Amino acid sequence: MTRKYPIAIAAAALAAGGAVLVPDSSGQDGALPDRLTLQMRHREAKVTMVDAPPRMSRKRPSESPGDTAVARGRLRGADGSPVGQTHSEFVVTGGRSPRTTEQATGTFVLRDGQIAIHGVFPNTPGTDKDVIPIVGGTGRYNGATGSVEITSGRRAVTFTFHFAR
């Protein structure tokens, strides 16, 4: 969960609202772009950790199944202007820090609709990139499917949505 918190501070969700909206190619009005990029700055995110029993301690420093991180943050567009918010939840399903496996659920709230994601973060050592499914949406994103690539950087998390046709 430790490596993913910056992502949560995402996806993966943000109440402050700061995202980057970059449609790489768009079709007709109302059509989904092939790709959409949003960004969340770490400093604009809030993460709350819920430590389920057995509790973490000096003797037991690892997260355990059921521990949850709840995050929200502002999404920003390519020009840096706020375009929405992200809300997410990461639940540890197994493993030990830093190699926990987490079930992730997130909603990206944009002016023209919402995008929902749901999948598993394996916390693979040596990578700052994860890909999880897009499971739906509302408004312009109604019925959206595909995947979102989540990349955690030093100052921000980048969400690159690839919509299925």
Side-chain angles (χ1 to χ4, degrees):
M1 226 184 235
T2 316
R3 180 173 70 84
K4 298 305 172 197
Y5 286 158
I7 291 176
I9 297 175
L14 309 195
V20 178
L21 184 61
V22 182
D24 294 322
S25 82
S26 56
Q28 307 117 5
D29 288 333
L32 287 176
D34 291 331
R35 191 167 67 182
L36 172 68
T37 302
L38 305 173
Q39 192 173 66
M40 180 190 66
R41 297 173 183 168
H42 296 308
R43 63 184 164 91
E44 294 181 327
K46 176 163 176 42
V47 176
T48 301
M49 178 68 178
V50 179
D51 187 9
R55 306 261 187 240
M56 290 174 32
S57 65
R58 204 175 279 210
K59 188 175 180 179
R60 182 178 167 67
S62 179
E63 291 106 349
S64 58
D67 286 353
T68 305
V70 179
R72 63 190 173 105
R74 175 178 289 163
L75 294 170
R76 294 193 174 273
D79 64 355
S81 66
V83 297
Q85 299 178 354
T86 182
H87 304 268
S88 57
E89 176 182 57
F90 298 81
V91 180
V92 174
T93 59
R96 298 182 62 81
S97 291
R99 291 182 169 202
T100 57
T101 300
E102 300 158 27
Q103 182 73 34
T105 301
T107 304
F108 296 78
V109 181
L110 306 170
R111 292 179 189 115
D112 52 356
Q114 298 182 22
I115 303 168
I117 63 172
H118 186 81
V120 173
F121 279 121
N123 279 327
T124 307
T127 182
D128 346 345
K129 192 178 293 188
D130 290 287
V131 178
I132 65 174
I134 297 170
V135 296
T138 65
R140 179 179 186 195
Y141 310 97
N142 191 38
T145 59
S147 62
V148 60
E149 184 177 281
I150 303 169
T151 306
S152 184
R154 258 184 85 217
R155 294 192 172 124
V157 176
T158 301
F159 305 93
T160 305
F161 293 87
H162 301 274
F163 296 103
R165 296 281 168 207

